[in-house]
């Protein structure tokens, strides 16, 4: 039996090695356009940042080592250019430009995908513009940083783009991330989870601009800036991480069925043509929840599918049940993200009636050194309580929440099925009740009507605008809210409030809000709502009564954002604009001037600390002013490391 594998890296090398182990008599040949047979593509950002010291550590196997270890025939620098399925042969082009046919009994297509660069993008070929797909790409980017690059623009806020941004920030660069979508991590996290992550990135010094499309790249002998709809961003290093496209153009006219450029396969990895299979980034799988075609361009999916195909081809049929879109990402040294299953939006599109809850739970025993929080969004179907997906952010091991959920989704479990699972516990690792199970309890309470709440997304959309805000933190914290001591709420409830008054109960994480609601319900209150995630997750704004003074805590918070109170007034501030050591572009100057006219007094002052201050911004205009600056590539803030 002669097996021909077109493509290496993940799926190709996995299927070839397993084939040879299952049938030592088989002839297994791998042909690949690349000179590398197997490398760790997912490790490229961490070589750029220096966590991985040498590029050689990214090479899983050299062609010679792989061939010696597996017995597979390896031919690099050989490109497949056409498939004739009737003749059972693939036309390949050698390094010297000559072409010939390679016969096969069974063919596996594993040609992967390539970075997408928009056709005709101005400046795409300038020195200093890179994609991130191969070790050579990572080495070139690291060399540019070592040569003195200081301002980076990353185009694309998906997993790879944000991983590269984090690693460039770690190297000391000023980093701006732009994305044409209205949120980071589109189709991966729901907007409120992505918004929380974006705020953490901003706090760490990463400038993030969403709804900001790439128009072109400027420069002469090298890159000098990135043109966007919001103006030009200065840059001497540009990373294009817009996405990838399957390498399937060579199959045109072959009769192989494709969908959006991906090869369509069945659960055994077989295409519509006899003896032709496909796996990896060039192939579709199915979504394990919806059963619909699904592109899972992950190294994990590629390896699993490659192994399954090899078993199928050697008389052990191994159906692939489908992917869940599982992924984890390190966004900052103190922020990781994980997700699996359907987002709330995707669940709704698939015909489910999703209900979700956002929890803030301890990631390990709260008293243990290094403990932190998980921010978990759990989604289930309202009628059946079937689990549909999870999204989790936090400083700790978000993969443990994600992987526990993978098992639950793979078995079609309901929320209640998590309740009594004997999951691992010790103070350095987890809480006595697993964080995912705690979140499931909260969702069960919500489904049962015991918890009545607003999700962070509902709150941000204005669902609580008619509610009186009750601060139930241990001490007064929420500016403008009425503080109530939870421990003092008795059978009479809250003096001065009618039993049918709309009350929004706000605490740090949601737990005290739930306790308060429980007491108030017992006292006969019928219109309370708890803000899920509390002030730890959401930015809570309480409308200020006319003439009321701003609390000192709010003035202090605004100062941290770079908004300095004009001492002549209670509610007027000067908004400090961050510069690059005193430098801003012409477009940025125009944006500052427009912001001053629209939101302030029309005046801009220069400070001795290389910043500009927009004068006379009323309190109610501050959010709009800062948002306008961010939309134009600027930001407000203090001085110091950001300057």
């Amino acid at each position: 039996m002669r097996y021909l594998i077109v493509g290496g890296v993940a799926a190709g090398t996995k299927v070839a090695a397993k084939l040879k182990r299952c049938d030592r008599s088989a002839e297994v040949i791998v042909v690949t356009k690349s000179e590398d047979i197997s490398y760790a593509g997912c490790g490229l950002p961490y070589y750029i940042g220096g966590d991985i010291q040498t590029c050689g550590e990214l090479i899983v196997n050299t062609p010679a080592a792989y061939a010696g270890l597996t017995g597979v025939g390896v031919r690099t620098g050989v490109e497949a250019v056409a498939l004739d399925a009737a003749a059972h042969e693939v036309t390949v082009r050698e390094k010297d430009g000559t072409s010939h046919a390679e016969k096969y009994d069974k063919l596996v297509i594993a040609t992967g995908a390539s970075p997408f660069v928009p056709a005709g993008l101005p400046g795409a070929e300038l020195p200093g513009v890179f994609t991130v797909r191969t070790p050579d790409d990572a080495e070139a980017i690291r060399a540019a940083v070592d040569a003195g690059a200081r301002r980076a623009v990353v185009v694309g806020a998906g997993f790879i783009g944000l991983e590269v941004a984090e690693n460039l920030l770690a190297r000391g660069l000023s980093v701006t991330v732009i994305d044409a979508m209205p949120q980071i991590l589109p189709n991966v996290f729901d907007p409120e989870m992505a918004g929380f992550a974006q705020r953490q990135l901003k706090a760490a010094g990463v400038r993030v601009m969403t709804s900001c499309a790439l128009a072109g790249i400027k420069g002469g002998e090298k890159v000098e800036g990135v043109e966007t709809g919001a103006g030009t961003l200065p840059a001497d290093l540009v990373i294009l991480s817009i996405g990838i496209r399957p390498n399937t153009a060579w199959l045109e006219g072959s009769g192989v069925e494709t969908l959006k450029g991906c090869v369509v396969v069945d659960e055994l990895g077989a295409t519509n043509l006899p003896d032709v299979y496909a796996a990896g980034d060039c192939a579709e799988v199915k979504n394990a929840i919806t059963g619909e075609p699904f592109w899972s361009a992950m190294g994990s999916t590629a390896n699993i599918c490659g192994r399954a195909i090899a078993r199928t081809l050697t008389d052990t049929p191994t159906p692939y049940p489908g992917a869940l879109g599982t992924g984890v990402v390190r966004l900052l040294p103190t922020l990781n993200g994980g997700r699996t299953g359907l987002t709330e939006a995707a669940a709704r599109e698939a015909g489910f009636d999703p209900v979700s809850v956002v929890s803030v739970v301890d990631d390990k025993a709260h008293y243990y050194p290094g403990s932190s929080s998980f921010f978990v969004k759990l989604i289930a179907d309202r009628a059946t309580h079937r689990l549909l997906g999870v999204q989790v952010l936090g400083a700790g091991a978000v993969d443990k929440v994600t992987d526990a959920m993978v098992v639950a989704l793979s078995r079609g479990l309901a929320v209640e099925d998590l309740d009594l699972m004997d999951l691992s516990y010790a103070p350095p690792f987890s809480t006595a009740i697993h964080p995912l199970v705690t979140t499931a309890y909260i969702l069960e309470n919500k489904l049962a009507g015991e918890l009545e709440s607003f999700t962070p997304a509902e709150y941000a959309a204005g669902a609580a605008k008619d509610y009186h805000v009750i601060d139930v933190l241990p001490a007064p914290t929420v500016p403008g809210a009425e503080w109530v001591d939870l421990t003092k709420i008795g059978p009479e409830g809250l003096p001065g409030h009618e039993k049918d008054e709309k009350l929004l109960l706000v605490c740090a994480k949601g737990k005290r809000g739930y306790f308060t609601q429980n007491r108030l319900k017992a006292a006969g209150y019928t219109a309370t709502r708890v803000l899920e995630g509390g002030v730890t997750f959401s930015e809570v704004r309480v409308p200020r009564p006319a003439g009321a003074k701003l609390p000192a805590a709010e003035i202090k918070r605004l100062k941290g954002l770079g908004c300095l109170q004009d001492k002549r007034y209670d509610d007027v501030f000067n908004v400090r604009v961050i510069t690059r050591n005193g430098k801003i572009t012409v477009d940025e100057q125009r944006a500052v001037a427009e912001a001053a006219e629209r939101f302030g007094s029309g005046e801009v002052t220069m400070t001795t600390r290389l910043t500009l201050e927009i004068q006379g911004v009323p309190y109610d205009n501050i959010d709009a002013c800062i948002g306008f600056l961010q939309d134009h590539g600027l930001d407000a803030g203090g001085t110091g490391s950001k300057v």
Side-chain angles (χ1 to χ4, degrees):
M1 181 71 71
R2 190 174 203 264
Y3 297 99
L4 181 64
I5 319 298
V6 180
V9 188
T13 54
K14 175 59 71 174
V15 69
K18 185 63 176 175
L19 279 170
K20 198 66 178 175
R21 287 197 297 273
C22 291
D23 182 2
R24 296 304 303 175
S25 67
E27 182 185 8
V28 183
I29 304 295
V30 173
V31 297
T32 176
K33 182 180 178 181
S34 173
E35 292 297 330
D36 294 312
I37 184 67
S38 183
Y39 59 83
C42 297
L44 301 179
Y46 305 102
Y47 172 69
I48 294 170
D51 284 356
I52 297 171
Q53 294 295 317
T54 66
C55 197
E57 295 175 69
L58 297 171
I59 305 302
V60 178
N61 268 310
T62 64
Y66 176 82
L69 184 66
T70 64
V72 172
V74 177
R75 295 168 56 196
T76 60
V78 178
E79 181 181 6
V81 295
L83 166 62
D84 184 344
H88 274 56
E89 62 183 32
V90 172
T91 301
V92 300
R93 182 184 298 123
E94 299 284 350
K95 297 176 186 178
D96 61 7
T98 61
S99 299
H100 64 89
E102 285 282 351
K103 288 286 188 179
Y104 66 83
D105 294 309
K106 304 286 184 181
L107 171 67
V108 180
I109 300 166
T111 44
S114 295
F116 172 67
V117 178
L121 176 67
E125 302 302 321
L126 283 171
V129 179
F130 304 96
T131 57
V132 186
R133 191 65 178 174
T134 69
D136 288 344
D137 295 332
E139 192 145 30
I141 295 168
R142 184 159 160 170
V145 175
D146 291 341
R150 287 294 173 262
R151 297 171 300 180
V153 173
V154 178
V155 183
F159 273 7
I160 297 298
L162 294 178
E163 286 172 341
V164 172
E166 185 231 345
N167 280 280
L168 291 175
L169 185 71
R171 294 292 306 273
L173 276 72
S174 170
V175 181
T176 300
V177 178
I178 68 171
D179 199 290
M181 299 296 285
Q183 67 169 78
I184 66 172
L185 299 166
N187 304 316
V188 177
F189 282 82
D190 281 312
E192 71 275 31
M193 297 295 286
F196 179 83
Q198 183 171 330
R199 294 195 295 273
Q200 308 313 303
L201 289 168
K202 177 187 173 184
V206 179
R207 179 180 296 170
V208 181
M209 301 171 63
T210 52
S211 298
C212 183
L214 172 67
I217 301 171
K218 296 177 62 176
E221 295 183 358
K222 61 183 182 64
V223 64
E224 296 172 3
V226 173
E227 293 181 314
T228 74
T232 300
L233 304 174
D236 40 29
L237 177 64
V238 175
I239 307 296
L240 298 179
S241 186
I242 305 170
I244 57 175
R245 298 293 184 271
N247 294 326
T248 55
W250 69 281
L251 295 170
E252 187 174 346
S254 67
V256 171
E257 182 183 357
T258 60
L259 177 66
K260 297 181 180 179
C262 291
V263 178
V264 176
V265 298
D266 64 14
E267 61 183 5
L268 294 173
T271 71
N272 61 308
L273 300 180
D275 301 320
V276 179
Y277 296 75
D281 292 358
C282 66
E284 290 272 2
V285 291
K286 72 173 182 180
N287 187 290
I289 297 176
T290 68
E292 295 298 313
F294 184 61
W295 191 28
S296 179
M298 299 288 289
S300 51
T301 305
N303 275 280
I304 293 166
C305 289
R307 186 179 188 277
I309 287 174
R311 286 172 55 83
T312 294
L313 291 175
T314 51
D315 301 323
T316 307
T318 306
Y320 179 66
L324 291 165
T326 307
V328 289
V329 61
R330 192 179 79 185
L331 300 170
L332 293 166
T334 56
L335 183 66
N336 305 309
R339 56 95 61 218
T340 191
L342 303 178
T343 61
E344 187 174 353
R348 192 169 288 111
E349 291 171 6
F352 293 101
D353 180 14
V355 58
S356 70
V357 72
V358 171
S359 71
V360 182
V361 290
D362 295 332
D363 64 353
K364 55 178 69 70
H366 67 87
Y367 54 81
Y368 193 82
S371 65
S372 185
S373 295
F374 283 143
F375 304 85
V376 184
K377 179 172 183 178
L378 186 62
I379 306 163
D381 181 63
R382 190 180 302 275
T384 65
H385 296 193
R386 177 187 175 185
L387 291 163
L388 298 176
V390 75
Q391 300 157 44
V392 54
L393 297 163
V398 298
D399 56 312
K400 72 180 179 185
V401 174
T402 305
D403 288 343
M405 190 66 172
V406 167
V407 176
L409 294 176
S410 298
R411 295 296 176 263
L413 300 186
V415 182
E416 293 81 2
D417 291 324
L418 296 174
D419 285 4
L420 304 177
M421 287 188 175
D422 187 18
L423 299 171
S424 59
Y425 162 65
F429 301 102
S430 187
T431 48
I433 298 178
H434 193 279
L436 179 61
V437 177
T438 298
T439 307
Y441 291 164
I442 299 170
L443 184 51
E444 288 172 38
N445 288 339
K446 185 172 181 178
L447 286 164
E450 296 172 11
L451 166 67
E452 296 180 85
S453 61
F454 287 131
T455 67
E458 290 169 336
Y459 175 76
K465 65 179 180 181
D466 297 328
Y467 281 69
H468 182 73
V469 180
I470 303 293
D471 176 354
V472 293
L473 279 95
T477 302
V478 181
E482 176 186 352
W483 180 73
V484 170
D485 185 347
L486 160 63
T487 65
K488 299 295 196 303
I489 299 176
E492 72 283 358
L494 295 177
H497 293 282
E498 299 296 327
K499 297 294 178 70
D500 61 352
E501 184 179 353
K502 293 180 177 180
L503 303 176
L504 180 66
L505 310 176
V506 178
C507 64
K509 301 178 180 180
K511 187 175 182 179
R512 289 176 67 92
Y514 172 57
F515 291 168
T516 303
Q517 184 178 70
N518 182 267
R519 293 190 180 207
L520 292 177
K521 280 187 174 183
Y525 286 77
T526 60
T528 63
R529 292 291 184 273
V530 176
L531 177 59
E532 295 174 14
V535 295
T536 306
F537 190 89
S538 296
E539 296 180 307
V540 177
R541 297 282 187 270
V542 179
R544 188 166 54 103
K549 287 190 174 184
L550 288 174
E554 179 67 352
I555 294 172
K556 182 179 179 181
R557 183 187 73 85
L558 292 172
K559 183 177 181 181
L561 296 177
C563 307
L564 309 180
Q565 186 182 27
D566 186 328
K567 296 301 175 62
R568 296 173 297 176
Y569 310 98
D570 177 65
D571 61 352
V572 177
F573 294 79
N574 301 328
V575 177
R576 180 169 288 172
V577 183
I578 298 171
T579 71
R580 293 172 297 278
N581 290 322
K583 296 179 182 178
I584 59 175
T585 67
V586 171
D587 287 339
E588 289 169 340
Q589 290 184 51
R590 293 192 184 100
V592 172
E594 185 175 348
E597 287 184 335
R598 292 177 61 174
F599 308 108
S601 66
E603 296 179 317
V604 178
T605 62
M606 292 170 284
T607 76
T608 58
R609 303 189 71 182
L610 303 178
T611 62
L612 302 174
E613 285 184 4
I614 297 173
Q615 300 291 294
V617 180
Y619 174 76
D620 292 340
N621 286 358
I622 287 175
D623 286 344
C625 182
I626 293 176
F628 180 85
L629 292 171
Q630 291 172 342
D631 288 343
H632 289 77
L634 293 161
D635 206 349
T639 57
S641 61
K642 290 185 178 182
V643 176

